[in-house]
Amino acid sequence: MQKVVISGTGLYTPPNSISNEELVVSFNAYVEKHNSENADAIAQGEVTPLAPSSTEFIEKASGIKSRYVVNKSGILDVNRMRPDIPERSNDEWSVLCDMAIKAAGQALERAGRTAADIDGVIVACSNLQRAYPAIAVEVQEALGIVGFGFDMNVACSSATFGIQAAANSVQLGQARAVLMVNPEVCSGHLNFTDRDSHFIFGDACTAVIVERADEAVSHHQFEILGTKLLTKYSNNIRNNFGFLNRADDDSVGAPDKLFIQQGRKVFKDVCPMVAELIGEHLEEHSMPVTDIKRFWLHQANLNMNMLIARKLLGRDPEEHEAPVVLDEYANTSSAGSIIAFHKHQDDLPVGAPGVICSFGAGYSIGCVIVRKL
Ligand code: CO8
């Protein structure tokens, strides 16, 4: 079996940032409008009044201060409350493909590679913008990659599951190198009129090149020492959007056709599962947790990450031990842990071991142990 490395990573950040303040101003204007338009029905007890959001709550409960989005004006428009992203013709690259091209270009450059060196493309993300053809095959065409491409969705854990799939292909000699990309337009399926969740997500795209260690030429190499995945069925994070919606007349446009969650339950269930999986995985590799120089954790909630790190280390982590990007990016689903990895890897010394770990809907957890070369 071939030894495998991550030889390059890339990040595309959309140009528009929305601060908590901006988001809350528009949400609260929406609430006022809703309540005044429904004043009579509210007085009769037929409609429940909406409650305002607050920046203090958002930052305290999640650690999020801002998020990047593909379209800002539509989200902040009180009469719209969703992004304004016109559909493209079939002759243009799709939105997801466009983001993937940008992140992939950076990953290829850092890996010292061109499209000619890549044999496979995996697009791994939470929500694909169409059923078929696979976005990965479109990315393949856009970059001029000869080989295979497929899409996969394991929600927020898509990237670590994608790294395992890419590593398996390279280890088995099915590909010299694989491009794994995570285009996440979370704003497309976030309910910006829901007080409990309107602040949670942002948009971004990450890319990872996985290739044979003996052929890698990059100055940014991390050997993949092992991957470990776990899934356990839960309804606590769910999105029921799908092609069967149109077969039920009451289904189209219902709130559960966007992201819904029981945030508290997710927090309580997932944190211990994540700490346990990382602990087991390190034990299987005879690596004491104290040897790990960095944890690039999924970026959903700061309190969650602090709790997981505390469970593992027995103390609060130093800033550099579990870097945070969710304050600026919010939860970018599968891209989150890879944004942290991309932005916080160059300062590590040669030989330093680290853990990339993602977790989310499914439930799903993916752990990748790496060592800087
Ligand atoms: N402003 C002010 N107050 C609020 C607001 C608000 N916006 N929202 C809620 N409150 C109030 C509540 O009403 C409640 O009031 P009371 O105590 O009087 O009842 C109080 O604040 C506390 O509410 P919660 O218990 O809900 O607050 P929490 O402290 O639990 O924080 C969080 C809520 C931030 C959601 C937190 O529970 C959390 O982050 N949980 C983990 C979530 C998570 O990691 N989910 C994973 C999602 S990622 C994934 O896998 C999905 C893939 C799909 C991605 C694409 C989707 C777009």
Side-chain angles (χ1 to χ4, degrees), residues 53-54 57 156 186 189 195-196 261 263-264 300-301 304 331 360-361:
S53 184
S54 103
F57 169 82
C156 291
C186 298
H189 32 93
R195 179 177 180 250
D196 291 345
Q261 75 163 351
R264 271 286 153 108
N301 180 298
M304 256 178 138
N331 181 347

Side-chain angles (χ1 to χ4, degrees), residues 25-48:
V25 164
S26 106
F27 181 88
N28 288 351
Y30 168 81
V31 166
E32 255 183 50
K33 182 170 171 283
H34 173 274
N35 289 351
S36 78
E37 282 172 2
N38 293 283
D40 289 346
I42 290 170
Q44 308 276 326
E46 290 158 8
V47 169
T48 315

